[in-house]
Amino acid sequence: MGKTKERRLLKPDWQENHVYLVQFPRIKMIPSPSPYCLKLETWLRIADIPYSNISNEFKHYSPKGQVPFIELNGRVFSDSNDIIDYLKKEAKNPDQRLSPQDNAHAEAIHALIENSIHWIYMYSRNRDAKWFFGPTGFGPHARGLKGTLMKIFGKMQMSKKIKAKVMANGIGKNTPAEVMQFAKDQLRALSVLLGDKDYFFGDIPTTVDATAFGHLAQLVYTPQFDPEGKKYMEQCTPNLVSFVERIKGRFWPDWHNATENLSLDSNWRR
Ligand SMILES: N[C@@H](CCC(=O)N[C@@H](CS)C(=O)NCC(=O)O)C(=O)O
């Protein structure tokens, strides 16, 4: 668990048992282009845990050098998966009713999403990261001289990081046609696992639904290397598209405020 030694809190006047979620500022396409930020925020909503968002202003990162992270009761916790595991023990656990076999399936679905499907849109982002700092990306947060520098150097830095990641993973060494085939195979598998259920384990959303939403929403709402991918989802895995819309409708009634107004307001039920 990412507990720090001594580190200045972004919220020094914290309220007890309240989660302060530090993440990238909003963009217009999707509340977060980070699947991990979107997953964790969606999970907090599913688990019904009160939280407030704090923008990392592109300069505040966890002790592991990443977002999201949280501040809770004066301590810092890193990594979306570790944070969820901690909150499941200490606060609320939406997976309580799952059997050991369900939990094993959830683990396998989680791996399919975070270790495979994740790389499909990372491959796209390696081919085109321009939109990240465009008007529907982080562009509106980059104003003045600092903003111009951020647009130039931020873009360069981000492209470099994404390239290093996709090459280290190995996906970056494939042709677009090969990646499209992986994408279809993996999405088809996930679609079969969801079947005609509303959520992966029936009528009640659990952690793996937040994970699936955080990643699938990136495929649906952010640019992809080939429009064939989105067409494939619509025609061959429509249950995944409906799933994204279902979670969006139920847990993101404030989607418009988050994306159009770039609001980090966490009072999502209003
Ligand atoms: N395993 C981590 C992954 C987090 C992660 O990769 N975050 C990215 C944004 S999507 C990040 O902070 N990247 C900044 C960097 O690597 O410099 C989690 O689940 O939180």
Side-chain angles (χ1 to χ4, degrees):
M1 196 75 224
K3 182 174 171 257
T4 49
K5 288 173 240 128
E6 279 305 318
R7 175 184 162 118
R8 268 186 58 196
L9 294 172
L10 295 178
K11 184 71 182 167
D13 55 337
W14 45 269
Q15 196 188 313
E16 203 175 332
N17 295 334
H18 189 82
V19 171
Y20 297 93
L21 168 60
V22 186
Q23 59 169 316
F24 288 129
R26 299 282 194 218
I27 68 168
K28 288 196 179 270
M29 289 177 193
I30 187 166
S32 181
S34 158
Y36 306 105
C37 293
L38 188 60
K39 168 179 74 174
L40 182 54
E41 189 166 6
T42 305
W43 185 86
L44 288 166
R45 292 174 176 212
I46 288 175
D48 200 15
I49 292 176
Y51 72 97
S52 299
N53 284 309
I54 298 181
S55 165
N56 86 325
E57 292 170 6
F58 307 108
K59 62 180 182 202
H60 303 295
Y61 291 92
S62 73
K64 293 185 178 171
Q66 295 176 321
V67 283
F69 66 93
I70 63 164
E71 293 182 358
L72 175 61
N73 295 332
R75 293 170 64 189
V76 176
F77 299 91
S78 320
D79 194 293
S80 63
N81 294 320
D82 290 346
I83 294 166
I84 289 172
D85 284 347
Y86 180 76
L87 292 175
K88 274 164 73 170
K89 279 192 231 106
E90 300 296 321
K92 280 190 195 155
N93 182 1
D95 304 343
Q96 227 155 15
R97 74 193 166 87
L98 298 187
S99 68
Q101 200 181 24
D102 289 339
N103 280 318
H105 282 135
E107 200 64 50
I109 297 169
H110 178 97
L112 170 63
I113 297 166
E114 293 216 332
N115 301 344
S116 298
I117 291 176
H118 168 69
W119 293 103
I120 301 167
Y121 59 84
M122 288 301 281
Y123 183 86
S124 299
R125 292 174 183 190
N126 181 40
R127 294 172 70 82
D128 172 21
K130 280 196 297 293
W131 59 269
F132 267 110
F133 288 91
T136 52
F138 291 125
H141 301 285
R143 287 188 216 97
L145 177 64
K146 219 171 133 194
T148 309
L149 293 175
M150 192 179 98
K151 273 187 193 155
I152 300 168
F153 295 108
K155 198 155 67 187
M156 273 164 52
Q157 206 184 18
M158 185 170 296
S159 303
K160 219 168 114 185
K161 276 189 184 170
I162 293 174
K163 188 176 189 75
K165 283 183 188 175
V166 301
M167 293 320 265
N169 169 272
I171 188 92
K173 295 170 185 153
N174 295 294
T175 64
E178 285 167 333
V179 176
M180 184 54 66
Q181 193 54 52
F182 301 149
K184 288 179 179 174
D185 293 345
Q186 290 158 10
L187 289 166
R188 197 181 317 113
L190 190 66
S191 167
V192 170
L193 289 165
L194 176 63
D196 59 5
K197 299 185 294 298
D198 276 0
Y199 303 104
F200 279 90
F201 291 100
D203 299 340
I204 303 170
T206 61
T207 297
V208 81
D209 296 300
T211 307
F213 179 73
H215 290 266
L216 291 175
Q218 307 299 326
L219 284 173
V220 174
Y221 300 112
T222 70
Q224 299 307 315
F225 72 93
D226 186 335
E228 197 186 328
K230 283 188 193 180
K231 213 159 64 191
Y232 179 81
M233 284 185 83
E234 275 153 26
Q235 289 171 356
C236 304
T237 65
N239 62 339
L240 295 182
V241 179
S242 311
F243 168 84
V244 170
E245 283 162 4
R246 184 173 306 118
I247 298 254
K248 182 182 167 199
R250 178 162 170 195
F251 293 102
W252 284 91
D254 55 338
W255 184 276
H256 183 83
N257 192 31
T259 52
E260 276 309 303
N261 306 326
L262 306 178
S263 167
L264 277 170
D265 189 355
S266 56
N267 290 322
W268 60 281
R269 287 188 193 280
R270 273 191 308 206

